[in-house]
Amino acid sequence: MADRTDVTIDRAKARDRGDATSAVPKRRHDAGAVSAPRPRRLDIARFRPAARTVGLAIAYVLGACLLLRPTLTTTVVADDFQAPFALVVNSGPTLGDALSHGWNIAMTGAKFRLVGAEFGTLMNWLNLWVSATFDLPIDVVFNALKLGVFVGCAAAAATFWWLVARTHVRPVRWATAFFLTSTALFGSLQLHALWSNDPVQSFPFAGFGATAVGFLMLTTAVWVAARPSWRRYLAATVGTVAGVSYYELNAGAVLGAGVVLAVAAWAARRDRRRLVLHVVGGSAMCLVPALLLVVARGASPADTYAGRQVRADGAFDFLVRGLLGSLPGGAWQVSEKILQARPGLVFSQTVAVLVVVAAVGLWCARVPELPPADPATRSRAGALAAGGGVVVYALFAVGLQSSTVKVQDEMLGIGYVYMFYAVVATSVALGVAVVTLELIRTRRRAWPRTVALCCAVVFLVFQGTYNMRLHDLHNSIFKPNAALDNAWDEDVPQGERCRAIHAWADNPWPDYYRNDVVLGTDKAYRYYFGEAFCPSARRWVRLG
């Protein structure tokens, strides 16, 4: 007891002197004791959302590659094979040359495709630059860019669905809309390149790139109609002008946007300010791009391209052919004629479909639903108008191109398509995705729901089988293209490069096509790798 009393007295004296560093020993449980700082623990919970997002992104890319494997592993052909080399021959190998080339194409040909021409030439330049910089085969780079376009198209359609549902009906999570739309689109795509101009295997930037822009235009219309303002209408007008200057196919998206805005104006008929805003802003949003098309068309009277020359005779018949051929399964009969048999199931593709469908279904079943839309904007008429806008867009795309001389000459029956296939395929996939989510959500009528979902899975399996068989036939026919793409590499000996270019050039290509590839491979190879691709290849060039 005496010792404890002495320690207490000594502490009191030290405190009175202001001596913070008293020699009196401090005990562990003293109130004034200063403990050493504890080392911080790594808070793993902070990283879980980011890790979950990265994991979902990786799983999505793997699933997309599984469904699109027949499309992403086909040999590059047609304009997609020639265009990067033609760019180097006609303008040059640099980025500035590519942008200048895009401008020249837009100004000398279809003067209303400025955005589309610049984007296309940028992709062609990027194809060669990425291949040379990262030592990747040209076809691998092209198919990676193609995958990006497909994903962008699915994302644009999913965003449209997400905004319509959030504004007018029961909201849906964007990730759910994205996964379902991607599955429906990627699984239902049909390969046509062996008999038709196909935006799936070729021309993806024109077909699915334009479709992505078109759905963004429709999304903008829904965004403006929900909460209109002069600023929103100005931004939407700029967007529609840019969309139409990407590809005239998107004039259909302008018409679809007009449907959305007309219904919004009718709903606001009792609010004079809101009505005037819709009428004036909507007119500008729809009429300015239309005026651009008319002016651009009048500025190119010497344009004789058959793809822009209209033939009214039999246009309705070709419209019906185009629509039926663009629907899921619409080209199976042509596929069997090309394959000369009904293809047997491909086990790997069947497994891929089942894995992706199971993963997406599990996601949709486990993600909780969101509360209903805001009553201030909730409108069944608005939702129907948005769906009607998609239908108008798809019908216009088919009607516009099926009335041209080029498409009518090439559309020999149902299953023959053109760039309009991308719009119809995406629109149908979006509709299927919406219906699928409703089937998953409903708690009633389990048997019809199960039958419908099983039928969808069976269709995806058969479509993947057709695509794999067509993929194998396509690659066996165009082996020279694949060999030349693989030879465009600095690690390939010159002798092997020469064999590849000679084997490719010794085919019945048009002179302009052969010249662009032969001269372009050499000029690009000299620029990126500092030596000739094959000195003896110039003998294949036909001038004049």
Side-chain angles (χ1 to χ4, degrees):
M1 289 294 293
D3 292 342
R4 183 176 300 177
T5 303
D6 293 342
V7 169
T8 304
I9 294 172
D10 289 341
R11 284 180 177 171
K13 291 179 179 179
R15 190 166 55 249
D16 292 339
R17 293 195 306 266
D19 187 2
T21 58
S22 173
V24 179
K26 295 181 179 180
R27 299 197 176 184
R28 184 173 183 180
H29 299 291
D30 288 346
V34 179
S35 60
R38 294 182 179 180
R40 288 187 177 181
R41 285 187 176 183
L42 183 63
D43 189 3
I44 300 178
R46 293 170 51 193
F47 299 96
R48 284 177 182 170
R52 181 172 179 268
T53 301
V54 172
L56 284 175
I58 294 174
Y60 174 84
V61 172
L62 291 176
C65 290
L66 286 175
L67 290 179
L68 291 170
R69 184 164 68 99
T71 304
L72 300 179
T73 55
T74 52
T75 302
V76 182
V77 296
D79 292 355
D80 297 317
F81 183 83
Q82 171 225 9
F85 302 118
L87 169 64
V88 175
V89 172
N90 296 320
S91 292
T94 67
L95 176 59
D97 294 331
L99 297 177
S100 175
H101 185 67
W103 175 267
N104 292 334
I105 290 176
M107 292 298 104
T108 57
K111 292 183 171 60
F112 41 82
R113 288 189 191 172
L114 177 59
V115 176
E118 291 289 5
F119 181 76
T121 53
L122 178 63
M123 292 297 102
N124 290 327
W125 172 82
L126 199 62
N127 197 351
L128 289 181
W129 181 82
V130 172
S131 174
T133 304
F134 298 98
D135 195 23
L136 295 171
I138 292 178
D139 56 349
V140 171
V141 178
F142 173 76
N143 284 318
L145 294 174
K146 186 198 297 187
L147 174 62
V149 171
F150 287 150
V151 172
C153 187
T159 303
F160 172 76
W161 175 15
W162 169 80
L163 185 60
V164 172
R166 178 188 179 192
T167 305
H168 296 303
V169 286
R170 183 168 52 175
V172 58
R173 297 181 186 275
W174 187 86
T176 301
F178 184 43
F179 293 157
L180 282 172
T181 305
S182 299
T183 303
L185 177 61
F186 300 164
S188 63
L189 291 180
Q190 165 77 49
L191 305 187
H192 307 84
L194 288 175
W195 67 86
S196 195
N197 285 301
D198 182 21
V200 179
Q201 287 177 267
S202 303
F203 319 109
F205 311 126
F208 286 92
T211 304
V213 173
F215 270 95
L216 289 178
M217 293 164 66
L218 292 174
T219 304
T220 303
V222 176
W223 172 68
V224 171
R227 289 181 173 83
S229 67
W230 293 115
R231 289 184 178 180
R232 287 195 175 197
Y233 265 117
L234 178 60
T237 301
V238 172
T240 54
V241 170
V244 168
S245 65
Y246 187 100
Y247 200 178
E248 65 272 16
L249 202 68
N250 284 333
V254 175
L255 294 177
V259 174
V260 174
L261 298 177
V263 172
W266 175 257
R269 62 190 181 277
R270 293 184 177 85
D271 185 340
R272 179 175 297 181
R273 178 184 173 279
R274 199 178 183 95
L275 178 62
V276 170
L277 186 59
H278 278 308
V279 171
V280 177
S283 299
M285 182 177 170
C286 297
L287 294 181
V288 170
L291 181 63
L292 171 68
L293 286 176
V294 173
V295 172
R297 187 61 182 161
S300 53
D303 183 14
T304 59
Y305 176 57
R308 287 187 287 272
Q309 305 302 316
V310 176
R311 180 193 289 160
D313 294 341
F316 181 76
D317 179 44
F318 287 100
L319 168 65
V320 174
R321 290 187 191 181
L323 280 173
L324 295 178
S326 300
L327 295 177
W332 285 5
Q333 188 174 6
V334 183
S335 301
E336 292 175 6
K337 290 181 180 179
I338 297 297
L339 295 171
Q340 298 181 349
R342 179 169 296 176
L345 291 179
V346 178
F347 178 75
S348 60
Q349 200 63 19
T350 302
V351 173
V353 168
L354 294 177
V355 168
V356 172
V357 169
V360 174
L362 183 62
W363 165 271
C364 295
R366 295 188 62 182
V367 171
E369 296 183 15
L370 296 174
D374 185 358
T377 60
R378 190 169 184 175
S379 168
R380 180 175 295 180
L384 292 176
V390 174
V391 173
V392 168
Y393 181 28
L395 288 175
F396 180 87
V398 181
L400 177 67
Q401 293 192 326
S402 63
S403 64
T404 62
V405 175
K406 174 180 173 62
V407 175
Q408 289 184 8
D409 289 342
E410 296 176 353
M411 192 182 293
L412 304 180
I414 297 175
Y416 289 76
V417 298
Y418 200 58
M419 301 304 109
F420 59 77
Y421 174 79
V423 181
V424 178
T426 305
S427 302
V428 172
L430 178 60
V432 170
V434 172
V435 172
T436 301
L437 183 59
E438 290 303 315
L439 289 174
I440 294 174
R441 280 174 166 176
T442 185
R443 304 301 179 190
R444 297 175 297 174
R445 301 176 181 176
W447 278 109
R449 176 182 61 185
T450 303
V451 170
L453 294 178
C454 288
C455 289
V457 172
V458 169
F459 168 80
L460 294 178
V461 169
F462 274 93
Q463 185 62 71
T465 296
Y466 277 98
N467 285 344
M468 280 305 301
R469 300 304 185 191
L470 291 169
H471 156 276
D472 295 341
L473 179 60
H474 176 95
N475 287 0
S476 67
I477 294 173
F478 292 100
K479 287 182 178 179
N481 287 42
L484 183 55
D485 272 347
N486 291 329
W488 202 84
D489 187 290
E490 64 176 336
D491 297 326
V492 176
Q494 188 178 90
E496 187 175 338
R497 301 199 301 264
C498 285
R499 284 192 295 272
I501 190 69
H502 288 309
W504 180 88
D506 191 18
N507 282 281
W509 309 112
D511 287 345
Y512 80 92
Y513 193 89
R514 182 186 290 106
N515 292 348
D516 283 343
V517 173
V518 171
L519 296 176
T521 51
D522 184 70
K523 188 174 180 179
Y525 203 86
R526 288 176 185 273
Y527 175 79
Y528 285 109
F529 304 124
E531 62 175 302
F533 183 80
C534 177
S536 61
R538 295 184 67 88
R539 68 183 178 88
W540 292 102
V541 176
R542 309 267 196 292
L543 300 178

